[in-house]
């Protein structure tokens, strides 16, 4: 490794391998690399650089569409039989697989933190040299928006109040100071690090596959290294995408159902009418679905994005109003105490399971397992969204940012809403009781704030906008999953999935029979079971693929070359030596332990045309051998004879 090189190079940029007769070694064999590029030198491939023709995946669409449409028809025609089946499946899932949901949440969090602090954390979610598309502030705002939605308005005030009145079994006495802090800690456990780790797994793996490996924005793209190309492009990959669609449908439908429930409560309070029945909630969903269809087919996507941004501003504004018009001093003292309580009791909460007794199992089924299932169901939707906004960031930046930043912001927002609800309950404020429904807590709280009699109307507007934008965004993601990753799927596909989603939300409400939330929770848990297994496989697949990343190969080569050079240098020259790059004997160099010609390292960067046929490509110039123009999508008229002649001329020039 220390011999003087025959030809010094002014530029550190590596050259293509020369002909074997120029290498001066009879035992040297010219490597066979795609595009004459060693895998260590590939800068990465972005999805928008690939030549891909998107079509509706008939098998994925047929399976997912048939199953979900059949479910909606069954639920509308015979809700009692669906309720009986879903109850049985729910009981079996929570009794036998509750441990699995806990295990998945824990394993995902530990695996991603380990990945972030490992050498793989340096790998970019993009090509070498790519810069983040969005500033840190904008990226943080979008992450927060992705995890906010209707949740802060529904669960923010109601969930901790429920834990305060009826604490988890074997924890605290009801309505005590300890129960108050424990209530917020329990909510932080459900909405904090574990939830965002699940999102980060899907988002990071999909972003890596799309912006580093040049694959489609599909769940199945993660599994190319684990399943192989044939199975990934075949039934196994399509089955993964079907599971992702079904999980997204039921998870998002549950959120839409919750929004409809809270809108119904708000309408009752504002109008002074009696509590709305489930049938009235169905009408609300139908009206809002019409709004979604109009937004989907009219091409007002930019307007929807503006409305979504406005929604976040209004929601944050409401949180600020609650903070300053509510018990401000109480909240300022409560927030840091509650966060420390969460950090101190997190491991204890992670350890609760069926072994703690039947009461704990019932609590886990109604809350913790439900939340893990909900995050798993939402992970394709939210994960693909954050993948699209995270291009150019390193894996370490992405994982730590996705887990820590939104969690910290949600701790503050949820602490304000939940702490205020608990304070008003303790003070005996009008409208609060230990028997109030969850959807009533928000309106009871804001009705006790001074100077904001208009706020309930704003809440109704925010909830309606959320319903439309969430249905729109989730339908686009499901449209991508059924059109081979097309980032602008056909409108009729988007509308179809939106209608199915609304239909599932209606069925979920009908199953509740007066307790709509029960129907929502049951089906979310049952349908999340297969996708929980997919997430574990995704960890394995992503780790295996990262081992063959060009940057990892560079680090591996550098470590071996440096270690060998230092040992030889000290052995030959003591303290007085320096390092120079020189050719080593075959099998003795930096890459001696790597079979760089293996398809494990080379298969992924072979460029192909729209039909999947190999086409030569230059990573240096960005030119395709068949004359393809990425800007126009056109192919210049180059005959095979002209191409062969050009290649012969290039070879002759190199030999001269």
């Amino acid at each position: 490794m220390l011999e003087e090189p025959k030809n010094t190079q002014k530029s550190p940029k590596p050259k293509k391998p020369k002909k074997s007769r120029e290498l001066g070694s009879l035992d040297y064999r010219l490597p066979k690399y795609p595009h004459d590029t060693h895998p260590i030198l590939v800068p990465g491939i972005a999805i928008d650089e690939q030549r891909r023709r998107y079509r509706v995946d008939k098998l994925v669409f047929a399976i997912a569409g048939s199953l979900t449409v059949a479910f909606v028809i069954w639920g509308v025609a015979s809700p009692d039989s669906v309720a009986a089946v879903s109850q049985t499946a729910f009981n079996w899932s929570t009794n036998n697989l509750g441990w699995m949901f806990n295990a998945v949440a824990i394993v995902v969090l530990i695996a991603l933190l380990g990945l972030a602090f490992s050498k793989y954390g340096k790998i970019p979610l993009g090509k070498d040299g790519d810069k983040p598309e969005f500033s840190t502030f904008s990226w943080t705002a979008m992450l927060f928006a992705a995890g906010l939605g209707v949740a802060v308005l529904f669960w923010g005030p109601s969930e901790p109040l429920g834990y305060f009145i009826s604490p988890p079994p074997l924890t605290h006495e009801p309505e005590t100071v300890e129960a108050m802090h424990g209530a917020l800690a329990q909510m932080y456990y459900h909405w904090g690090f574990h939830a965002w780790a699940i999102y980060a797994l899907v988002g990071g793996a999909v972003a890596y596959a799309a912006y580093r490996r040049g694959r489609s924005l599909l769940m199945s793209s993660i599994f190319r290294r684990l399943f192989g190309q044939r199975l990934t492009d075949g039934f196994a990959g399509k089955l993964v995408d079907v599971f992702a669609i079904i999980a997204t449908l039921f998870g998002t439908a549950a959120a839409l159902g919750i929004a409809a429930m809270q809108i119904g409560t708000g309408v009752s309070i504002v109008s002074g009418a009696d509590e709305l029945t489930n049938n009235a909630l169905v009408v609300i969903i139908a009206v809002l679905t019409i709004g979604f269809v109009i937004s989907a087919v009219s091409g007002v996507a930019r307007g929807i994005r503006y409305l979504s941004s406005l929604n976040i501003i209004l929601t944050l504004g409401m949180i600020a109003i609650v903070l300053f018009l509510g018990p401000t001093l109480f909240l300022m003292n409560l927030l840091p105490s509650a966060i420390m309580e969460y950090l101190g009791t997190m491991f204890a909460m992670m350890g609760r399971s069926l072994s703690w007794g039947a009461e704990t199992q019932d609590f886990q089924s109604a809350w913790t397992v439900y939340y893990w299932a909900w995050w798993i169901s939402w992970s394709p939707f939210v994960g693909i969204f954050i993948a699209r906004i995270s291009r150019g960031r390193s894996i370490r930046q992405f994982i730590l940012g996705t887990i820590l930043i939104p969690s910290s912001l949600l701790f503050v927002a949820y602490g304000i809403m939940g702490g205020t609800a608990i304070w008003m309950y303790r003070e005996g404020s009008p409208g609060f009781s230990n028997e109030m429904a969850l959807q009533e807590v928000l309106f009871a709280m804001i009705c006790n704030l001074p100077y904001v009699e208009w706020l309930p109307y704003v809440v109704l507007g925010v909830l309606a906008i959320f319903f439309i934008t969430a249905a729109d965004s989730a339908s686009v993601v499901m449209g991508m999953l059924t059109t081979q990753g097309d980032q602008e799927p056909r409108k009729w596909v988007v509308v179809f999935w939106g209608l199915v989603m609304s239909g599932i939300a209606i069925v979920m409400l009908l199953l509740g029979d007066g307790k709509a939330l029960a129907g929502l929770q049951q089906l979310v848990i049952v349908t999340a079971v297969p996708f929980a297994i997919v997430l574990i496989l995704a960890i394995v697949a992503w780790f295996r693929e990262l081992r063959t990343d060009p940057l990892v190969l560079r680090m591996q080569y550098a470590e071996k070359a440096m270690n060998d050079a230092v040992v030889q240098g000290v052995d030959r020259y003591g303290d007085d030596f320096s390092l120079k790059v020189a050719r080593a004997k075959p099998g003795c160099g930096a890459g001696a332990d790597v079979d760089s010609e293996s398809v494990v390292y080379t298969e992924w960067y072979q460029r192909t045309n729209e039909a999947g046929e190999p086409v030569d490509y230059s990573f240096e110039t960005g030119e395709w051998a068949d004359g393809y123009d990425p800007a126009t999508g056109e192919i210049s008229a180059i005959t095979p004879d002209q191409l062969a002649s050009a290649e012969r001329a290039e070879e002759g020039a190199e030999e001269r």
Side-chain angles (χ1 to χ4, degrees), residues 8 38 81 161 205 215 231 243 250 276 299 365 388 430 436 537 583 645:
T8 57
H38 193 288
S81 62
L161 179 60
R215 299 178 196 143
L231 289 177
F243 285 155
F250 282 86
L276 299 185
S365 299
R388 295 174 69 180
M436 62 193 308
L537 293 176
R583 184 180 300 120
S645 176

Side-chain angles (χ1 to χ4, degrees), residues 262-267 270 443 455-465:
Q262 201 155 32
I263 289 173
T265 300
V267 170
V270 170
F443 289 98
L455 195 54
Y457 298 95
V458 176
V459 171
L460 290 177
V462 168
L463 292 171
I465 295 173

Side-chain angles (χ1 to χ4, degrees), residues 320-331 420 423-424 448-450:
I321 288 173
V322 173
L323 173 63
F324 292 111
L325 297 184
T328 307
L329 183 60
F330 170 79
L331 294 174
T420 301
W423 183 85
M424 289 184 175
N448 281 285
L449 296 174

Side-chain angles (χ1 to χ4, degrees), residues 206-433:
V206 170
Y208 178 82
Y211 301 124
R212 184 74 171 169
R213 300 276 183 163
R215 299 178 196 143
S216 299
L217 281 163
L218 295 171
M219 281 299 305
S220 56
S221 296
I222 301 172
F223 298 94
R224 178 70 63 86
R225 179 73 178 87
L226 185 64
F227 293 166
Q229 182 173 354
R230 184 177 63 84
L231 289 177
T232 302
D233 294 339
F235 185 74
K238 296 181 188 303
L239 192 62
V240 168
D241 291 331
V242 168
F243 285 155
I245 291 170
I246 292 175
T248 301
L249 273 172
F250 282 86
T252 311
L256 300 185
I258 288 173
M261 290 168 56
Q262 201 155 32
I263 289 173
T265 300
V267 170
S268 298
I269 293 174
V270 170
S271 64
D274 294 334
E275 181 179 356
L276 299 185
T277 64
N278 279 358
N279 291 333
L281 297 181
V282 169
V283 174
I284 291 175
I285 291 179
V287 172
L288 293 175
T289 300
I290 294 174
F292 150 72
V293 171
I294 293 174
S295 73
V297 301
S298 61
V300 292
R302 180 175 298 178
I304 291 298
R305 286 196 293 269
Y306 288 151
L307 284 177
S308 184
S309 300
L310 176 63
N311 236 15
I312 298 303
I313 294 173
L314 292 175
T315 302
L316 294 176
M318 283 189 285
I319 294 171
I321 288 173
V322 173
L323 173 63
F324 292 111
L325 297 184
T328 307
L329 183 60
F330 170 79
L331 294 174
M332 298 301 290
N333 283 279
L334 176 63
L335 288 177
S337 299
I339 292 173
M340 295 309 297
E341 179 73 11
Y342 162 63
L343 297 175
T345 60
M346 182 169 60
F347 288 100
M349 289 186 284
M350 289 166 61
R352 291 176 192 159
S353 64
L354 179 60
S355 62
W356 281 55
E359 290 185 356
T360 298
Q361 172 66 12
D362 292 340
F363 175 85
Q364 293 285 101
S365 299
W367 292 103
T368 305
V369 173
Y370 163 64
Y371 273 120
W372 298 160
W374 201 1
W375 307 144
I376 290 170
S377 296
W378 267 64
S379 61
F381 168 33
V382 179
I384 291 177
F385 169 77
I386 61 177
R388 295 174 69 180
I389 65 173
S390 301
R391 181 176 182 173
R393 299 188 181 275
S394 71
I395 288 178
R396 180 173 298 132
Q397 292 172 332
F398 173 83
I399 291 177
L400 296 181
T402 303
I403 293 177
L404 298 179
I405 295 176
S407 296
S408 301
L409 295 174
L410 287 171
F411 291 163
V412 175
Y414 281 46
I416 291 172
M417 303 294 280
T420 301
I422 292 175
W423 183 85
M424 289 184 175
Y425 174 83
R426 292 173 66 187
E427 295 295 315
S429 299
F432 282 87
S433 71

Side-chain angles (χ1 to χ4, degrees), residues 104 107-108 201 205 219 222-227 236 240 243 530-545:
V104 168
V107 168
V108 169
L201 169 61
M219 281 299 305
I222 301 172
F223 298 94
R224 178 70 63 86
R225 179 73 178 87
L226 185 64
F227 293 166
V240 168
F243 285 155
F531 204 72
I533 299 172
V534 170
L535 288 186
I536 295 298
L537 293 176
I539 296 175
V540 178
W542 196 17
F543 272 71
R544 288 191 63 180
E545 187 146 64

Side-chain angles (χ1 to χ4, degrees), residues 1-4 557 560-562 564-565 568 572 578-585 588-590:
M1 295 291 294
L2 293 171
E3 294 88 344
E4 185 71 24
Y557 276 49
K560 180 172 175 53
M562 184 64 69
D564 290 349
Q568 292 181 35
R572 295 182 186 182
S578 61
L579 304 180
K580 294 181 180 179
V581 177
R583 184 180 300 120
K585 295 180 180 179
C588 299

